[in-house]
Amino acid sequence: MTDSEVVGALRAAAHPVAGASEDYAALLDDLGGARFVFLGESTHGTHEFYRERGRITRRLLTRHGFAGVAVEADWPEALRVNRYVVGRSDDPHAVDALRDFQRFPAWTWRNADVLDFVGWLAEHGGRPPLGFWGLDLYSMHRSAHAVVAYLQRFDPDAVPRARALYDCLDTAGVDPERYGIGTALGLTPSCEDGVVRVLEELRARRPVLLAPGDPDAADEVCWAEQNARGARDA
C-alpha cells in the first residue's frame, strides 16, 4: 500500500472531533451491552486528552447507565473524592477532595480538567450516586494507616493488634519502593504474613462491624477491607 493509499484509508475511517455534543455518538452508541468500558490515553497530563476523556465519561454515565468510574489512582486518595461525590464528606469543594493526591506526580489528578469532572460528578447525583474509585497499588503505608483509623472509630479493641502487625512496614521507612528493593535483596524482612493477617481478621469481624440500623456500615467495612487489600497488594 502506498503512502497516499494509507492516508486515504485513514481519512475514510477517521471521525472528526469538533467539540460538538455528538462527537462520540457513533462510537459509544454501539457498546453491545458492555458492562465495562476501558479508556486509554496517550499522555499523562495533556489537557486535550483529559478534557476528551471527561467528555466521553460523562456521556457513558448519563446515557448508557454506567454507575461510576475506576481510575489509575490509589484507593485511599480516590476514596476521599468518592466521599465528596456521594455527599459523605466534610470537604466543602471538589478542590478540597483532591488534596490527598500528592504524588505520581500530584498534577496527574490535581488539575483543572479532573477538578471540573469531579465537580460535575457531585452535581449530577443519581440514585445510587455515581462512584469514583482508585485501582492502583502503591498506597502501602497510606492504606495501612486508613485501616487503623477505621478500627479506631468502629473497633477500638482491634487497634493494638493491627498496629503491631503493620509495624513491620515501617522498617524500610515511608517509601514503598525501598521496602520492595530491601525485601528483594534480603535486606528487609518481609511483612507479607502480618499484612495478610490484618485483612483476614478484618474480614472475620465483618458480622460484628455491620451494625444493625446503620445504613453506612456496609460501605465503611467495604472501604476498610479495600484499604487492607491495597496494603497487601502493594
Side-chain angles (χ1 to χ4, degrees):
M1 181 177 285
T2 65
D3 290 348
S4 60
E5 290 173 330
V6 171
V7 172
L10 290 173
R11 284 177 174 168
H15 182 78
V17 175
S21 60
E22 299 301 306
D23 274 345
Y24 301 103
L27 172 66
L28 300 180
D29 289 345
D30 187 26
L31 296 175
R35 293 182 59 206
F36 303 96
V37 174
F38 295 86
L39 302 181
E41 65 179 12
S42 294
T43 70
H44 272 315
T46 300
H47 160 62
E48 289 81 3
F49 278 97
Y50 278 34
R51 178 191 62 204
E52 296 308 305
R53 182 178 64 186
R55 291 181 61 208
I56 292 170
T57 307
R58 285 177 174 89
R59 186 179 180 99
L60 289 169
L61 294 171
T62 57
R63 300 199 186 186
H64 298 278
F66 290 92
V69 184
V71 300
E72 188 186 359
D74 289 331
W75 174 264
E77 287 90 335
L79 180 59
R80 181 173 177 179
V81 176
N82 182 75
R83 289 181 182 275
Y84 172 77
V85 167
V86 301
R88 289 166 58 180
S89 167
D90 294 329
D91 290 319
H93 306 291
V95 68
D96 301 298
L98 288 163
R99 291 193 189 281
D100 278 354
F101 287 105
Q102 298 178 7
R103 60 161 203 87
F104 190 54
W107 50 257
T108 304
W109 294 107
R110 289 172 64 185
N111 60 69
D113 293 293
V114 175
L115 178 64
D116 289 345
F117 179 70
V118 170
W120 176 87
L121 279 176
E123 293 172 1
H124 182 75
R127 293 293 181 271
L130 301 174
F132 186 95
W133 312 106
L135 300 181
D136 224 334
L137 298 173
Y138 292 96
S139 59
M140 186 168 69
H141 291 89
R142 188 182 286 270
S143 283
H145 294 160
V147 172
V148 173
Y150 166 82
L151 293 174
Q152 287 175 323
R153 292 175 59 201
F154 297 102
D155 195 6
D157 291 342
V159 170
R161 168 76 168 165
R163 279 181 170 159
L165 292 171
Y166 277 146
D167 275 349
C168 174
L169 296 175
D170 294 330
T171 58
V174 298
D175 185 356
E177 185 175 0
R178 286 184 60 192
Y179 166 81
I181 294 173
T183 54
L185 297 177
L187 303 175
T188 301
S190 171
C191 303
E192 181 177 2
D193 290 344
V195 173
V196 170
R197 178 61 62 186
V198 174
L199 175 59
E200 291 174 343
E201 293 180 3
L202 184 60
R203 285 173 170 168
R205 291 186 59 76
R206 172 181 267 270
V208 178
L209 296 168
L210 290 174
D214 183 354
D216 297 333
D219 281 345
E220 294 290 347
V221 174
C222 174
W223 296 343
E225 286 186 6
Q226 291 300 323
N227 268 312
R229 290 180 62 191
R232 178 201 66 184
D233 293 343

